[in-house]
């Protein structure tokens, strides 16, 4: 019993998925039908879609859905027999019917009662077109035939479907004859015909197995074959003729479906595992590199490098493979738009043609789900604010019908989605005026704004240029929703516009969200990963390149004024940190949604593929940080939440001079003692103070680096055994900072040992042994002050 | 007595001479069978010279300090995050959390990795003592002399023959989270000198 239940559940699941697919296609096909109402192929396709849903629905006992699709099917039947002609009213009724069918499907999915959906109005509306008055000759046949189907037993249903097949065969036969009139079937066609027959035979056999799933499959196969068949016939005579628009372009599925459905969760798991693998690979590569450095020429090392290379290749392929299984065509989103455009333009009395390009462009499933809403907003806006009413367009010498182009293409690791309209375009001055009126910006801000910045005003919450509140624009939601959604995806928005010619909104979104390319940077002593998709460019400037506007640092980069902030300041770790020498300042220009800023960092480390990991439940909502990743050496690097950093940057202001070493004034030379043991400090401090030094302490290496950024020391003592890393590493880290390139660093050995190699590597000036005698200290100071890097 | 209800102490783990003493005092022979559910097993550690305990079931492991990464915009007691075999785990300095003076890391410093519910956090402590068996009937509610800023994290005080141990309430410790802007919005920030 329970097995049956399970099977039933599965059948319903399959039905839902198929119905979803069919309804989605229907939306598109119906809108197309409006302009090509004579297209028999299309009519048949739509008819069949309704028929398929009806058949399955009746089998599964969804009465309302059966009744509704039955009526829709009847209307289509009359249409395809050319007994009635399609008009706008009829189309509205059909579309409303499709919407109701969707609602019923949704109810089934949600576990609600599908029979509770009210379809009375739709039925009445549709019945109008079946009325005698609406027709010339009788169509009793189809009605009575379909009525029979209403209360079908399973066997009858099967029979009925066989009828249907025969009918369709006949139909095909007709079509064949038609085309034969023009052209004899060639060998290929004959072969296809043969295969088709064979296939149908199989179908029929399978049908007997009383499995609905198979019935559906067969219907689908049939449909596809037929479609293909039709194409073959149609396209051969006019092979040169291109498809009219991209909308008409339809992917042809293979004859036999060679796919399986996989639970998304399983794919997510797989993706996570690949993530771990990438981390392991990174680590292996870094170990191999280290080994090579250390034991150059060793056979084993060479073999290790080889293995590392191979693993890198395999991992990359595997990652691509797994990613590809999660890829879906953006057509899945785009296909909804003919309907959306139709509805909106109808409501606003505008004439709009939608052109879709690059519907086959693929992107990750998780991203697809997120971009639908932003796109609907953008398209709505384009029609509402962009496209002029037909009369106005005519006056302007434009075609009555406005055009909206939706296009998608790949660019490196991103997908770019453009929405272009040929409407009014945007007037930067008007936008500023509006924003001023609403108090969103100040006069000065308005004056300083570039064209691009003015366009970006449309993304401010509460901004609307609509003169009157329409049904579409007046819902209190605007482009700020678009912005939030795109930010969430780490994407970028660009707006281009030309007054009177139209507007283009460009979305740039990462292809996937789990494994990303990132730019590693260093600020003070910390490393951060900036998602590469947010990075526009990196530039190296000097302190003379920095201008001031309203006491804020800005950089003039080509024609743009880019506000500058020190990354440490936005994260709250920059206070009093002096790490820049003013000769080489690195700026990472990042963009989030429509905003652009320049982040000043101490160092650019390089590009790396990183796996995003969460910081866990204890550290949720950390400002400026979106997650962490594990590097090849096992250390944890935080990933910047660029959107947050950019927003934060708007509030704070950086004074670059606060971070420059050169402009740092101190009244006494400073000595930094980084030692864990109290004795060392207690012993050294008085001696140094006597020599006129101001002495500062640090317990750990981390603390030492912090202090070293705050006060530029003139002399550093490093306990070689300091926790957590040893003193050698601390010295090495200090040497990498511009301020400490030549400062004497004296290593203290507490147990009489030291590592000559490491001392050389860390460029430690001198090594002394604790306890330090006065004389010894003097010697060390003298030696170190020669500014030569000495080896003890 | 059902065999299932009894549990022999693992001697190698329980090196607990005080318990032995206690048992001896009660006239029981050492190594006698005792009921497990009369005792609570806690990991004892030293913080600012005092003995604290955490339920052993909440402790995943104990590690030596490792290099950590500082996380900006976190409360002062969050030292940063570490990589524990591929997992990113925040480390909390319990000294700072309890308002004691921060002390440099020594050779005895350890991180107690807690795994409780969905939380994975490391607590930095001065020194690990050992696993104690605290008799449940000897656990008393928080005495009034415990400082207010620690009191809410205390589940009770366990009396042992020679020492007393302050048992920590893990849930309360984890509840606050480490973000400066976390949902609890609590303005309490542990004093850090």
């Amino acid at each position: 019993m329970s097995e049956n239940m399970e099977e039933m559940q599965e059948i319903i699941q399959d039905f839902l998925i198929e119905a979803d697919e069919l309804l989605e296609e229907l939306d598109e096909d119906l809108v197309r039908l409006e302009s090509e109402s004579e297209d028999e192929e299309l009519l048949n396709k739509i008819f069949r879609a309704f028929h398929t849903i009806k058949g399955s629905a009746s089998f599964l006992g969804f009465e309302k859905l059966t009744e509704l699709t039955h009526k829709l099917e009847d209307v289509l039947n009359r249409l395809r027999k050319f007994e009635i002609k399609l008009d706008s009213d009829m189309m509205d009724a059909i579309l409303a019917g499709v919407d109701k069918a969707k609602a019923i499907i949704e109810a089934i999915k949600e576990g609600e009662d599908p029979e509770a959906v009210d379809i009375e109005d739709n039925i009445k509306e549709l019945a109008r077109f079946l009325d005698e008055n609406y027709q010339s000759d009788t169509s009793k046949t189809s009605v009575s035939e379909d009525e029979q189907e209403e209360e079908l037993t399973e066997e009858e249903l099967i029979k009925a479907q066989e009828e249907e097949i025969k009918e369709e065969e006949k139909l095909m036969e007709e079509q064949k004859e038609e085309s034969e009139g023009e052209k004899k079937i060639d060998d290929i066609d004959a072969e296809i015909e043969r295969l088709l027959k064979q296939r149908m035979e199989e179908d029929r056999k399978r049908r007997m197995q009383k499995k609905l799933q198979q019935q559906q499959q067969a219907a689908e196969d049939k449909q596809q074959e037929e479609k293909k068949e039709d194409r073959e016939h149609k396209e051969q005579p006019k092979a040169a003729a291109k498809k009219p628009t991209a909308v008409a372009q339809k992917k042809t599925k293979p004859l036999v479906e060679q796919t399986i459905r996989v639970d998304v969760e399983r794919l997510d798991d797989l993706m996570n595992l690949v993530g771990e693998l990438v981390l392991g690979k990174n680590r292996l590569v870094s170990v191999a590199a280290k080994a090579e450095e250390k034991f150059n020429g060793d056979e084993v090392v060479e073999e290790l490098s080889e293995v590392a290379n191979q693993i890198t290749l395999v991992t990359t392929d595997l990652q691509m493979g797994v990613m590809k299984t999660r890829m879906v065509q953006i057509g899945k989103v785009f296909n909804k738009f003919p309907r959306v455009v139709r509805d909106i333009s109808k409501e606003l009395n505008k004439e709009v043609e939608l052109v879709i390009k690059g519907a086959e462009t693929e992107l990750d499933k998780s991203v697809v789900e997120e971009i639908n809403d932003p796109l609907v907003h953008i398209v709505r806006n384009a029609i509402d604010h962009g496209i002029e009413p037909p009369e106005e367009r005519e006056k302007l010498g434009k075609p009555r019908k406005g055009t909206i182009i939706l296009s998608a293409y790949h660019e490196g690791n991103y997908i770019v989605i453009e929405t272009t309209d040929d409407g009014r375009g945007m007037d930067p001055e008007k936008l500023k005026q509006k924003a001023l009126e609403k108090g969103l910006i100040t006069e000065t801000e308005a004056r300083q704004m570039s064209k691009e910045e003015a366009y970006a005003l449309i993304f401010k919450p509460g901004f609307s240029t609509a003169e009157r509140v329409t049904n579409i624009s007046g819902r209190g939601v605007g482009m700020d929703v678009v912005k939030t959604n795109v930010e969430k995806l780490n994407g970028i928005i660009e707006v281009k516009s030309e007054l009177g010619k139209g507007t283009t909104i460009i979305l740039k979104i990462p292809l996937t969200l789990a494994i990303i390319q990132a730019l590693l940077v260093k600020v003070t002593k910390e490393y951060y990963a900036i998602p590469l998709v947010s990075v526009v460019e990196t530039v190296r400037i000097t302190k003379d390149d920095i201008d001031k506007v309203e006491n804020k640092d800005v950089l003039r980069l080509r024609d743009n004024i880019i506000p500058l902030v020190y990354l440490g300041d936005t994260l709250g770790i920059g206070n009093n940190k002096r790490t820049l020498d003013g000769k080489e300042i690195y700026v990472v220009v990042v963009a989030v949604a429509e905003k652009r800023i320049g982040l000043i960092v101490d160092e650019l480390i390089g590009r790396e593929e990183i796996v995003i990991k969460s910081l866990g439940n204890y550290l949720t909502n950390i400002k400026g940080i979106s997650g962490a990743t594990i590097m090849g050496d096992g250390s944890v690097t935080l990933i910047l939440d660029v959107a947050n950093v950019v927003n934060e940057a708007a509030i704070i202001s950086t004074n670059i001079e606060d971070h420059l070493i050169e402009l740092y004034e101190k009244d006494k030379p400073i000595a930094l003692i980084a030692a864990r043991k109290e004795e060392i400090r207690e012993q050294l401090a008085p001696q140094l103070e006597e020599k006129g030094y101001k002495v500062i302490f640090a317990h750990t290496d981390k603390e030492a680096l912090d202090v070293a950024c705050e006060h530029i020391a003139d002399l550093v003592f490093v306990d070689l055994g300091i926790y957590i890393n040893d003193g050698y590493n601390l010295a090495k880290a200090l040497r990498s900072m511009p301020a400490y390139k030549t400062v004497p660093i004296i290593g203290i050995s507490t147990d009489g040992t030291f590592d000559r190699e490491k001392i050389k590597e860390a460029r430690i000036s001198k090594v002394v042994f604790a306890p330090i005698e006065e004389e010894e200290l003097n010697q060390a100071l003298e030696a170190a002050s020669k500014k030569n890097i000495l080896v003890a | 007595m059902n065999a299932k209800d009894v549990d022999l102490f693992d001697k190698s783990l329980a090196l607990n001479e005080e318990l032995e003493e206690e048992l001896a005092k009660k006239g029981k022979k050492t190594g006698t069978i005792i009921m497990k559910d009369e005792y609570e097993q806690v990991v004892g550690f030293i913080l600012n010279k005092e003995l604290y305990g955490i339920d052993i079931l909440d402790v995943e492991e104990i590690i030596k300090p490792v290099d950590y990464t500082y996380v900006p915009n976190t409360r002062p007691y969050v030292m940063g995050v570490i990589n524990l075999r591929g997992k990113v785990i925040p480390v909390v300095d319990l000294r700072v959390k309890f308002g004691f003076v921060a002390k440099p890391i020594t050779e005895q410093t350890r991180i107690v990795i807690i795994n409780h519910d969905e939380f994975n956090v490391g607590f930095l402590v001065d020194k690990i003592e050992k696993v104690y068996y605290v008799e449940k009937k000897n656990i008393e509610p928080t005495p009034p002399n415990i400082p207010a800023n620690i009191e809410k994290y205390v589940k009770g005080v366990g009396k042992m023959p020679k020492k007393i141990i302050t048992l920590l309430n893990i849930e309360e410790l984890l509840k606050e989270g480490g973000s400066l802007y976390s949902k609890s919005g609590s303005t309490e920030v542990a004093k850090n000198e």
Side-chain angles (χ1 to χ4, degrees):
Chain A
M1 241 1 235
S2 71
E3 208 175 282
N4 269 351
M5 280 296 287
E6 232 167 70
E7 205 172 303
M8 197 60 190
Q9 210 52 45
E10 221 168 86
I11 291 171
I12 291 180
Q13 250 348 293
D14 283 344
F15 161 67
L16 288 175
I17 294 169
E18 195 200 7
D20 264 350
E21 274 168 17
L22 283 169
L23 287 171
E24 214 168 274
E25 273 181 36
L26 267 174
D27 259 349
E28 190 193 336
D29 289 338
L30 283 169
V31 174
R32 222 179 92 209
L33 186 68
E34 204 167 26
S35 53
E36 300 162 40
S37 62
E38 309 279 296
D39 189 338
E40 225 176 307
E41 183 199 342
L42 192 60
L43 281 164
N44 282 331
K45 186 182 167 205
I46 297 168
F47 169 78
R48 243 171 279 119
F50 285 135
H51 184 80
T52 309
I53 299 174
K54 185 196 73 179
S56 315
S58 93
F59 173 71
L60 292 168
F62 300 126
E63 280 168 30
K64 285 272 171 73
L65 187 58
T66 315
E67 193 183 347
L68 184 65
T69 41
H70 188 177
K71 276 281 177 302
L72 284 163
E73 181 190 0
D74 286 350
V75 174
L76 253 297
N77 201 23
R78 299 197 70 193
L79 274 170
R80 73 175 182 160
K81 287 180 179 158
F82 297 107
E83 292 166 2
I84 47 175
K85 243 182 105 64
L86 184 78
D87 56 34
S88 176
D89 260 6
M90 201 185 291
M91 184 50 86
D92 284 345
I94 294 173
L95 286 174
V98 170
D99 282 347
K100 210 32 96 55
K102 279 186 194 159
I104 297 174
I105 301 259
E106 214 45 52
I108 299 171
K109 270 193 213 158
E110 300 291 319
E112 290 157 18
D113 180 16
E115 306 305 320
V117 180
D118 179 29
I119 57 165
E120 269 321 298
D121 290 351
N122 298 84
I123 296 291
K124 233 185 268 164
E125 190 68 14
L126 289 167
R128 219 154 49 87
F129 309 112
L130 299 171
D131 197 84
E132 300 291 327
N133 299 334
Y134 224 100
Q135 58 177 79
S136 39
D137 54 1
T138 95
S139 67
K140 276 271 183 286
T141 45
S142 75
V143 176
S144 57
E145 179 201 275
D146 288 334
E147 265 163 10
Q148 272 177 3
E149 270 179 63
E150 290 274 316
E151 313 228 345
L152 289 175
T153 65
E154 213 168 290
E155 258 166 275
E156 275 173 325
L157 182 82
I158 291 159
K159 238 183 245 163
Q161 293 222 342
E162 276 198 79
E163 280 307 306
E164 178 68 32
I165 298 263
K166 274 184 203 139
E167 198 185 314
E168 280 170 5
E169 255 176 285
K170 229 182 283 160
L171 195 95
M172 244 188 315
E173 215 59 42
E174 275 165 32
Q175 281 168 352
K176 213 194 317 167
E177 271 159 31
E178 248 178 56
S179 58
E180 264 173 350
E182 295 167 22
K183 193 182 185 289
K184 280 272 168 224
I185 313 168
D186 55 29
D187 290 345
I188 301 163
D189 276 2
E191 177 66 10
I192 288 172
E193 197 55 36
R194 194 183 62 76
L195 286 170
L196 203 63
K197 282 249 170 66
Q198 195 183 322
R199 177 120 203 98
M200 266 188 276
E201 208 49 49
E202 277 171 29
D203 281 350
R204 213 161 289 153
K205 265 184 222 149
R206 263 197 273 163
R207 214 174 295 276
M208 295 318 286
Q209 290 170 356
K210 296 183 189 176
K211 283 234 172 142
L212 184 82
Q213 202 184 339
Q214 275 147 325
Q215 285 167 5
Q216 286 175 341
Q217 177 78 44
E220 208 181 281
D221 283 353
K222 275 240 47 59
Q223 195 179 313
Q224 248 130 39
E225 278 160 14
E226 199 164 325
K227 197 161 61 192
K228 202 176 172 181
E229 180 78 7
D230 287 350
R231 274 261 170 79
E232 214 94 345
H233 285 300
K234 273 209 156 170
E235 281 184 1
Q236 266 176 6
K238 41 174 182 177
K242 278 261 170 201
K243 322 118 197 169
T245 58
V247 187
Q249 215 175 305
K250 202 72 216 113
K251 43 189 177 196
T252 27
K253 288 183 200 162
L255 287 179
V256 184
E257 211 179 333
Q258 293 275 20
T259 57
I260 45 167
R261 291 208 166 95
V262 185
D263 196 351
V264 179
E265 246 171 61
R266 277 192 209 169
L267 286 181
D268 283 345
D269 284 349
L270 215 51
M271 198 64 186
N272 284 340
L273 286 175
V274 171
E276 292 304 313
L277 191 60
V278 169
L279 288 180
K281 176 212 78 183
N282 285 350
R283 193 156 186 188
L284 179 65
V285 169
S286 115
V287 169
K290 258 189 229 160
E292 213 163 337
E293 208 174 282
K294 211 165 178 179
F295 312 102
N296 199 10
D298 194 299
E299 231 173 81
V300 180
V301 172
E302 259 167 48
E303 209 176 324
L304 177 65
S305 308
E306 223 170 86
V307 172
N309 279 338
Q310 202 197 341
I311 297 287
T312 304
L313 281 178
V314 173
T315 311
T316 312
D317 283 356
L318 182 63
Q319 190 193 330
M320 280 311 286
V322 172
M323 255 170 73
K324 271 188 190 146
T325 60
R326 301 166 49 91
M327 296 286 236
V328 284
Q329 298 194 340
I330 199 169
K332 212 172 145 39
V333 176
F334 280 2
N335 287 345
K336 293 186 185 137
F337 279 83
R339 174 74 195 277
V340 170
V341 169
R342 180 190 184 270
D343 287 355
I344 301 171
S345 50
K346 206 154 183 212
E347 191 173 339
L348 295 166
N349 287 322
K350 289 181 182 177
E351 291 179 21
V352 182
E353 193 189 345
L354 179 70
V355 179
I356 291 176
K357 291 177 184 169
E360 71 287 348
T361 315
E362 287 185 323
L363 73 168
D364 195 271
K365 192 174 160 42
S366 56
V367 182
V368 162
E369 280 153 17
E370 301 288 336
I371 55 163
N372 184 51
D373 289 355
L375 275 182
V376 171
H377 268 292
I378 292 171
V379 169
R380 267 193 179 135
N381 251 291
I383 301 175
D384 198 10
H385 305 309
I387 306 277
E388 309 89 337
E391 300 74 37
E392 197 182 322
R393 289 182 66 91
E394 268 183 346
K395 256 184 243 162
L396 290 165
K398 289 182 178 179
R400 268 180 79 86
K401 233 182 184 184
T403 307
I404 288 181
I405 306 170
L406 259 184
S407 64
Y409 55 90
H410 283 152
E411 196 183 283
N413 273 321
Y414 336 109
I415 179 165
V416 184
I417 305 165
E418 292 183 4
T419 318
T420 306
D421 68 65
D422 64 346
R424 290 189 184 102
M426 291 193 283
D427 184 348
E429 290 310 314
K430 263 197 190 156
L431 289 170
K432 284 185 201 171
Q433 202 52 45
K434 202 89 188 174
L436 265 176
E437 277 168 31
K438 300 204 177 230
L440 295 170
I441 51 167
T442 62
E443 291 260 0
T444 11
E445 274 178 302
R447 242 181 298 120
Q448 285 161 5
M449 250 179 203
S450 69
K451 219 165 69 173
E452 282 74 24
E453 281 171 302
Y455 295 147
L457 284 172
I458 59 170
F459 297 108
K460 287 219 177 216
F463 188 88
S464 169
T465 48
E467 324 250 295
R468 75 220 131 72
V469 172
T470 62
N471 197 6
I472 290 146
S473 65
R475 327 172 168 214
V477 285
M479 295 293 273
D480 53 318
V481 176
V482 174
K483 188 182 130 177
T484 339
N485 274 316
V486 173
E487 267 178 13
K488 218 166 61 188
L489 292 171
N490 263 327
I492 301 179
I493 306 179
E494 255 172 64
V495 185
K496 284 182 190 160
S497 189
E498 206 171 325
L499 207 54
K501 292 220 173 125
T503 305
T504 301
I505 293 179
I506 303 163
L507 306 183
K508 213 171 165 191
I509 287 161
L511 269 184
T512 170
L513 300 175
I515 301 175
I516 58 166
Q517 294 274 332
L519 177 69
L520 288 182
V521 299
K522 189 180 170 195
V523 12
T524 73
K525 62 181 198 296
E526 313 284 347
Y527 293 88
Y528 292 99
I530 307 177
L532 209 60
V533 66
S534 311
V535 176
V536 180
E537 62 181 311
T538 57
V539 282
R540 199 177 75 183
I541 57 169
T542 68
K543 66 172 190 289
D544 300 329
D545 294 325
I546 299 174
D547 289 317
K548 288 252 176 207
V549 172
E550 305 234 313
N551 209 25
K552 286 196 176 187
D553 290 331
V554 296
L555 171 68
R556 199 176 161 144
L557 190 60
R558 289 184 288 280
D559 244 358
N560 296 316
I561 304 286
I562 294 174
L564 286 180
V565 284
Y566 185 60
L567 178 56
D569 287 344
T570 66
L571 293 172
I573 58 167
N575 264 352
N576 298 320
K577 297 288 160 64
R578 296 180 173 274
T579 49
L580 304 172
D581 67 1
K583 283 177 218 129
E584 284 182 356
I585 297 173
Y586 295 95
V587 178
V588 181
V589 181
V590 293
V592 172
E594 83 297 353
K595 262 189 227 152
R596 231 150 258 248
I597 63 160
L599 294 173
I600 296 173
V601 298
D602 294 351
E603 243 179 283
L604 298 173
I605 310 294
R607 248 172 82 155
E608 187 100 27
E609 190 161 64
I610 60 166
V611 179
I612 300 177
K613 294 197 171 237
S614 131
L615 286 176
N617 280 347
Y618 192 73
L619 297 180
T620 43
N621 291 327
I622 304 291
K623 262 195 182 177
I625 303 296
S626 66
T629 188
I630 292 168
M631 306 309 292
D633 63 359
S635 66
V636 181
T637 294
L638 299 174
I639 303 167
L640 276 197
D641 179 348
V642 182
N644 190 286
V645 165
V646 169
N647 287 337
E648 201 73 359
I651 323 168
I652 59 147
S653 71
T654 288
N655 193 350
I656 201 69
E657 274 140 34
D658 292 344
H659 299 292
L660 292 178
I661 300 159
E662 296 152 32
L663 298 161
Y664 177 54
E665 280 172 27
K666 49 194 168 188
D667 31 279
K668 268 186 184 176
I670 292 174
L672 166 64
I673 304 174
R676 204 181 67 211
K677 291 216 163 73
E678 301 279 337
E679 306 94 73
I680 297 179
R681 294 185 291 154
E682 275 160 20
Q683 198 195 5
L684 259 178
Q687 297 184 44
L688 287 167
E689 268 159 12
E690 213 172 276
K691 292 185 197 302
Y693 282 99
K694 183 184 168 197
V695 183
I696 47 177
F697 302 107
H699 290 100
T700 65
D701 51 350
K702 294 241 169 206
E703 207 181 320
L705 283 170
D706 251 345
V707 174
C709 293
E710 263 158 58
H711 314 271
I712 308 303
D714 302 275
L715 179 62
V716 182
F717 286 91
V718 172
D719 176 357
L720 294 179
I722 194 168
Y723 227 131
I724 290 171
N725 279 330
D726 48 19
Y728 303 107
N729 280 343
L730 172 59
K732 220 161 105 183
L734 283 173
R735 282 285 182 233
S736 76
M737 290 163 59
Y740 290 90
K741 280 204 176 94
T742 54
V743 170
I745 299 180
I746 298 174
I748 304 171
S749 167
T750 46
D751 54 4
T753 64
F754 61 89
D755 185 328
R756 184 175 282 266
E757 276 300 309
K758 280 186 174 173
I759 282 173
K760 214 187 235 170
E761 201 188 352
R763 291 191 287 145
I764 289 172
S765 326
K766 184 103 180 79
V767 173
V768 293
F769 298 93
I772 304 156
E773 301 300 328
E774 173 118 35
E775 202 179 319
E776 203 181 349
L777 177 67
N778 284 337
Q779 277 174 11
L781 285 181
E782 199 191 331
S785 66
K786 283 178 188 152
K787 298 221 166 170
N788 300 327
I789 308 303
L790 296 175
V791 177
Chain B
M1 195 185 281
N2 202 325
K4 244 194 268 174
D5 299 333
V6 294
D7 190 11
L8 270 171
F9 280 130
D10 178 356
K11 284 278 203 152
S12 62
L13 187 77
L15 296 174
N16 201 335
E17 65 281 0
E18 285 151 35
L19 184 73
E20 302 266 330
E21 257 175 56
E22 185 191 355
L23 291 170
K25 231 195 306 188
K26 283 183 182 167
K28 290 178 186 167
K29 266 185 262 158
T30 52
T32 20
I33 294 168
I34 50 169
M35 296 289 289
K36 194 189 182 188
D37 56 3
E38 283 174 12
Y39 289 86
E40 201 159 292
Q41 251 177 309
V42 294
V43 176
F45 59 86
I46 302 287
L47 206 63
N48 204 28
K49 291 176 188 142
E50 280 172 47
L51 184 60
Y52 290 85
I54 294 177
D55 191 336
I56 199 163
L57 294 175
D58 290 323
V59 177
E60 187 173 292
E61 61 183 289
I62 295 165
I63 58 167
K64 285 189 174 183
V66 290
D67 213 0
Y68 59 90
T69 301
Y70 174 75
V71 184
N73 292 324
T74 48
R75 291 175 186 273
Y77 49 75
V78 178
M79 294 176 63
V81 287
I82 59 169
N83 165 18
L84 188 71
R85 293 185 300 276
K87 258 195 281 182
V88 176
I89 295 177
V91 177
V92 169
D93 190 339
L94 265 193
R95 288 187 76 100
V96 181
K97 173 109 183 164
F98 287 172
F100 303 142
V101 184
K103 204 181 126 190
I105 286 165
T106 69
E107 263 139 35
Q108 290 178 320
T109 311
R110 293 290 180 275
I111 300 174
V112 182
I113 308 285
I114 303 289
N115 193 348
H116 184 88
D117 287 344
E118 300 282 292
F119 287 93
N120 231 190
V121 178
F123 288 144
L124 195 73
V125 301
D126 291 357
K127 188 183 171 207
I128 294 288
E129 284 288 341
K130 62 188 166 196
V131 176
Y132 289 98
Y133 293 82
V134 183
E135 214 169 347
K136 278 190 179 158
K137 62 178 189 212
N138 279 338
I139 297 175
E140 289 183 3
T142 326
N145 61 340
I146 286 200
N149 56 342
I150 306 179
E151 194 198 344
K152 62 175 166 178
Y153 307 122
V154 173
K155 200 162 66 175
V157 172
K159 287 190 296 183
M160 292 187 295
K162 283 185 176 166
K163 294 175 180 170
I164 56 164
I165 185 165
T166 312
L167 303 172
L168 293 178
N169 182 346
I170 284 290
E171 258 153 51
E172 199 60 47
L173 271 168
L174 295 175
K175 210 171 75 186
E176 274 166 345
S179 169
L180 267 185
Y181 307 90
S182 60
K183 58 263 166 192
S184 66
S186 107
T187 47
E188 177 267 341
V189 173
K191 266 177 269 159
N192 185 7
E193 286 192 45

